[in-house]
């Protein structure tokens, strides 16, 4: 297998969010020769959208995704997603990543939540198409079904894409999908048109927290070169976005060190 | 939906394993009017198989399953599973539950592990058939793919059953499968011939530990009556086995209190 193209590395700012704001993350990417960035909306709001647009352009960065729209099972989903689409448009983001939301408070109706998600995406899709913002449904690991996303497999996400039509695809995050017996089949089914983002990190053994104990590439058990091969085999030629939620380790380190290690591990372990 | 049949309640001894050995668990079931029990093999070894057979029979208990065979990716799998089949036979267990094993130490080859599991089950199946011990493949939650079981969905387990033929079925544990978008479809596919066990507990929000933070029925977000309806709708008429790994809560309580609450929650919340 060929080595990953180093120019395809992107930084999802969740990876260094405890110590850097978005302005620092943009400067950090430029300093480390990382050409892609994917900001979160709270950081974007803190920096200001216009200034973020200016700084990413000035530093030649591609915005590989905006995190996040979604949470269609929450009360304010309509306005919040409208604003997210506008921001993604202004940033020229390659997609708006949808973390679709879990069970509504007090509910055990997972099928109902899934219908709400489908209807919610359908409702915002015309605006997203008009704004030229592809919507990337991110299937989240089944352990996050209750609290964050009731779309939990690539197959389920692609079934949604089939139902919704143009303008919707998927974000493939290795952390969420590495275990799936149908991974190869469903990545092939998705093809390059529907793979809108590719997120990397690693699954640690043991995993000490369901949300914030992701590993750096190479420190866990995910066969990253094999999954990249599937994704690139399907025709995906976009960025490889490092997204590491790691309260117990990486969030505590100097972000410049984290970025150096990301670059090294991307080159050697993915 | 009709209420669950109280005579179908079974105790998986993992639920009270910190405070009771198997002999105490058998007496406890008899005292609380619980008619089924599913022991773990370490407890069985401590009590002695002959004495366990005598005590379960003397108390009129059905052995709804023996936990566990499997771990086909470990070194001693062959002999260990042979002994497990013998023990299940002696106990008259309704099935031997297979926790199939995760990645071999140092490996990232999930597809290879899955092939090892398939070959391992095929290798022990003739002995299991001869002993009249049905093998129940238990798909485990994807968050346990690396460490405990690389069979992670009901669909995957049933594909294995298709490949292996007679004498193999599945254990449906709500904790492992409740999130699955294909749950209804795959339970219907399994049918009553292949559903060899039905395990209940609940998924807590938040979940504080990947292995040992299961909830008592009614304390979490799983729609237990809905899943029982699917399972019984497929023709399953066996026991409802309570299996709660709960280091942080239930394992610390008086097992007699735990059993009382199991009975009450089974009647009202499942």
């Amino acid at each position: 297998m060929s080595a990953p193209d180093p120019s395809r590395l992107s930084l999802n700012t969740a990876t260094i969010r405890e110590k850097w704001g978005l302005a620092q993350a943009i400067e950090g990417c430029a300093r480390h020769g990382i050409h892609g960035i994917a900001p979160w909306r709270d950081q974007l709001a803190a920096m200001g959208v216009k200034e973020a647009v200016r700084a990413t352009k000035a530093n030649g960065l591609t915005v590989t995704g905006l995190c996040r729209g979604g949470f269609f099972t929450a009360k304010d989903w309509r306005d919040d997603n409208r604003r997210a689409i506008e921001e993604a448009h202004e940033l020229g983001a390659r997609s708006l990543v949808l973390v679709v939301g879990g069970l509504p408070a007090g509910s055990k109706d997972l099928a109902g939540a899934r219908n709400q998600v489908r209807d919610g995406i359908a409702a915002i899709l015309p605006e997203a198409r008009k704004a030229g913002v592809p919507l990337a449904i991110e299937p989240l690991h089944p352990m996050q079904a209750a609290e964050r996303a009731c779309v939990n497999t690539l197959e389920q996400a692609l079934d949604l894409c089939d139902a919704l039509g143009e303008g919707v695809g998927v974000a493939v995050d290795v952390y969420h999908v590495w275990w799936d017996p149908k991974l190869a089949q469903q990545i092939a089914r998705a093809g390059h048109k529907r793979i809108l983002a590719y997120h990397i990190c690693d699954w640690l053994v043991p995993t000490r927290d369901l949300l914030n104990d992701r590993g750096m590439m190479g420190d866990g058990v995910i066969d990253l070169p094999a999954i990249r091969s599937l994704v690139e085999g399907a025709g995906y030629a976009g960025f490889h976005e490092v997204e590491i939620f790691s309260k117990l380790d990486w969030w505590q380190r100097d972000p410049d060190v984290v970025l150096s290690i990301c670059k090294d591990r991307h080159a050697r372990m993915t």
Side-chain angles (χ1 to χ4, degrees), chain A:
Chain A
M1 194 176 308
S2 62
D5 178 350
S7 75
R8 299 286 90 188
L9 181 60
S10 173
L11 175 72
N12 184 299
T13 62
T15 309
I16 41 74
R17 70 179 303 149
E18 292 285 298
K19 295 196 187 289
W20 276 357
L22 183 52
Q24 290 170 294
I26 291 168
E27 287 159 19
C29 284
R31 195 160 61 243
H32 287 268
I34 294 172
H35 302 305
I37 192 164
W40 283 68
R41 289 179 61 217
D42 55 342
Q43 299 170 312
L44 184 65
M47 183 177 188
V49 179
K50 279 188 186 159
E51 177 56 17
V53 170
R54 191 206 60 74
T56 48
K57 283 190 180 159
N59 287 286
L61 297 183
T62 298
V63 178
T64 59
L66 176 63
C67 295
R68 59 172 177 67
F71 275 79
F72 298 102
T73 52
K75 277 192 179 156
D76 62 340
W77 67 270
R78 193 72 186 81
D79 286 344
D80 190 57
N81 278 284
R82 185 176 292 133
R83 284 192 297 273
I85 290 168
E86 285 167 12
E87 291 165 13
H89 171 76
E90 289 185 58
L91 281 168
R94 292 219 170 165
S95 69
L96 173 64
V97 176
L98 301 182
V99 174
V100 299
L103 289 168
S107 168
K108 300 184 182 189
D109 182 7
L110 197 52
R114 286 167 171 162
N115 289 339
Q116 275 183 265
V117 165
R118 181 201 57 213
D119 295 346
I121 300 175
I124 65 167
L125 187 52
E127 287 156 55
R129 285 181 184 141
K130 202 169 160 187
V133 173
L135 301 178
I137 301 171
E138 183 168 12
L140 254 55
H141 196 285
M143 69 185 174
Q144 297 178 2
E147 290 167 278
R148 292 176 59 78
C150 59
V151 173
N152 304 104
T153 65
L154 213 40
E155 183 174 28
Q156 184 192 6
L158 290 167
D159 287 349
L160 268 175
C161 291
D162 285 348
L164 291 162
E166 288 298 306
V168 188
V170 295
V172 177
D173 184 320
V174 296
Y175 196 74
H176 297 305
V177 303
W178 74 278
W179 60 270
D180 189 343
K182 301 179 92 171
L183 183 59
Q185 181 200 96
Q186 294 298 316
I187 286 176
R189 171 188 171 194
H192 68 281
K193 281 196 179 172
R194 280 189 167 157
I195 302 175
L196 300 177
Y198 178 55
H199 298 181
I200 56 175
C201 65
D202 215 331
W203 179 277
L204 297 177
V205 174
T207 292
R208 298 160 292 175
D209 181 89
L210 275 75
L211 193 57
N212 294 321
D213 193 27
R214 299 191 186 192
M216 178 63 68
M217 297 79 76
D219 288 346
V221 296
I222 301 178
D223 189 343
L224 289 160
I227 300 182
R228 178 170 62 84
S229 170
L230 293 174
V231 167
E232 293 183 346
Y236 178 77
F239 280 77
H240 312 151
E241 189 181 311
V242 178
E243 184 180 36
I244 303 175
F245 292 83
S246 172
K247 200 173 190 173
L248 300 165
D249 187 353
W250 296 97
W251 286 354
Q252 298 178 22
R253 302 199 197 189
D254 173 356
D256 272 304
V257 172
V258 176
L259 262 54
S260 291
I261 296 174
C262 283
K263 282 198 73 170
D264 173 63
R265 296 294 183 86
H266 177 248
R268 290 193 300 113
M269 310 294 285
T270 71

